[in-house]
Amino acid sequence: DSGVTQTPKHLITATGQRVTLRCSPRSGDLSVYWYQQSLDQGLQFLIQYYNGEERAKGNILERFSAQQFPDLHSELNLSSLELGDSALYFCASSATLGEEKLFFGSGTQLSVL
Amino acid sequence: SQKIEQNSEALNIQEGKTATLTCNYTNYSPAYLQWYRQDPGRGPVFLLLIRENEKEKRKERLKVTFDTTLKQSLFHITASQPADSATYLCALRSYGGATNKLIFGTGTLLAVQP
């Protein structure tokens, strides 16, 4: 158990809908990362937050947004969902901004039908 | 463009042999490189980190090498076991400009046959 909690584990929704994925980092970790993993794209970096502030951005679509709250949990919001958004979404955390190793949650499997 | 390449074909080896996985990168200046293990339906798990000024790192049956001239890292598992079967991902963090994030390769599936 990595100590990173993601909910829900599975999410099935329809095109055009909006969903929210939640992540609780390991106790004491200030940095949260979101990754998307699909079969053809591998593990793609979306966005990183540190202590409530956005610190790095990857190939995150404009339809996607995220935030980190004062209690350090994070949410990834996906809107106007398309079939191609179906993927496994991972959250990871690290203790500090420059901390090297990441601890990953078990992921949220999103299926857009 | 920046690329991290791992052998997309599965690597099949016999139990007891040494597995060697390759990670090549282009147009990066990594401060360090990491290796993770991922089992189906699970999140990646950190294994080893090697810095740009280190040539080799070991941990139990695992060994990582890092050649910044060749822009390549090799990941070795000695005396492999069926329980080592998983996908192995390399990841690197590059500093410079706005790039300060951990980027992953696509991974190589290792299958160790008993």
Side-chain angles (χ1 to χ4, degrees):
Chain A
D1 182 11
S2 67
V4 178
T5 303
Q6 288 188 249
T7 56
K9 289 192 182 304
H10 303 277
L11 200 48
I12 301 174
T13 188
T15 55
Q17 295 298 305
R18 172 190 167 96
V19 297
T20 298
L21 282 54
R22 183 187 168 101
C23 169
S24 293
R26 286 190 321 157
S27 176
D29 282 2
L30 298 177
S31 197
V32 169
Y33 304 74
W34 286 98
Y35 285 84
Q36 177 193 58
Q37 188 173 43
S38 56
L39 285 175
D40 57 342
Q41 292 289 323
L43 200 59
Q44 298 289 310
F45 171 74
L46 296 178
I47 199 164
Q48 178 201 2
Y49 280 83
Y50 176 77
N51 205 19
E53 292 188 8
E54 181 185 307
R55 293 308 300 248
K57 222 168 184 177
N59 299 323
I60 187 167
L61 299 172
E62 285 191 10
R63 300 183 286 109
F64 296 1
S65 65
Q67 54 184 325
Q68 186 180 27
F69 294 87
D71 67 353
L72 301 177
H73 90 272
S74 179
E75 292 181 355
L76 179 66
N77 300 296
L78 315 175
S79 62
S80 302
L81 285 168
E82 302 175 358
L83 295 177
D85 297 327
S86 297
L88 198 50
Y89 291 83
F90 286 107
C91 167
S93 73
S94 65
T96 63
L97 187 61
E99 181 67 22
E100 294 108 352
K101 75 180 179 185
L102 301 187
F103 294 87
F104 282 81
S106 297
T108 293
Q109 179 67 59
L110 174 66
S111 299
V112 182
L113 306 178
Chain B
S1 62
Q2 294 177 320
K3 280 186 185 178
I4 303 173
E5 294 181 319
Q6 295 184 255
N7 193 339
S8 58
E9 292 183 11
L11 178 63
N12 292 287
I13 64 167
Q14 284 297 121
E15 182 175 7
K17 301 292 186 184
T18 295
T20 298
L21 287 69
T22 304
C23 176
N24 295 297
Y25 60 91
T26 54
N27 294 323
Y28 278 105
S29 297
Y32 56 77
L33 188 145
Q34 302 180 22
W35 284 88
Y36 287 75
R37 168 183 173 142
Q38 186 175 23
D39 292 286
R42 307 290 295 273
V45 176
F46 172 82
L47 296 174
L48 278 170
L49 178 152
I50 187 164
R51 301 183 189 280
E52 59 178 336
N53 60 349
E54 297 175 315
K55 296 291 185 188
E56 182 179 297
K57 206 77 167 286
R58 291 175 185 261
K59 179 183 174 184
E60 297 172 353
R61 295 184 296 112
L62 309 180
K63 185 179 85 171
V64 173
T65 63
F66 194 12
D67 189 328
T68 55
T69 301
L70 291 179
K71 297 187 184 298
Q72 180 182 78
S73 175
L74 298 179
F75 177 78
H76 306 272
I77 305 176
T78 58
S80 59
Q81 305 165 2
D84 295 326
S85 298
T87 296
Y88 291 87
L89 304 163
C90 71
L92 58 84
R93 189 188 294 275
S94 183
Y95 292 103
T99 305
N100 184 23
K101 49 202 178 195
L102 193 62
I103 305 300
F104 284 81
T106 51
T108 297
L109 177 62
L110 172 66
V112 181
Q113 309 297 332

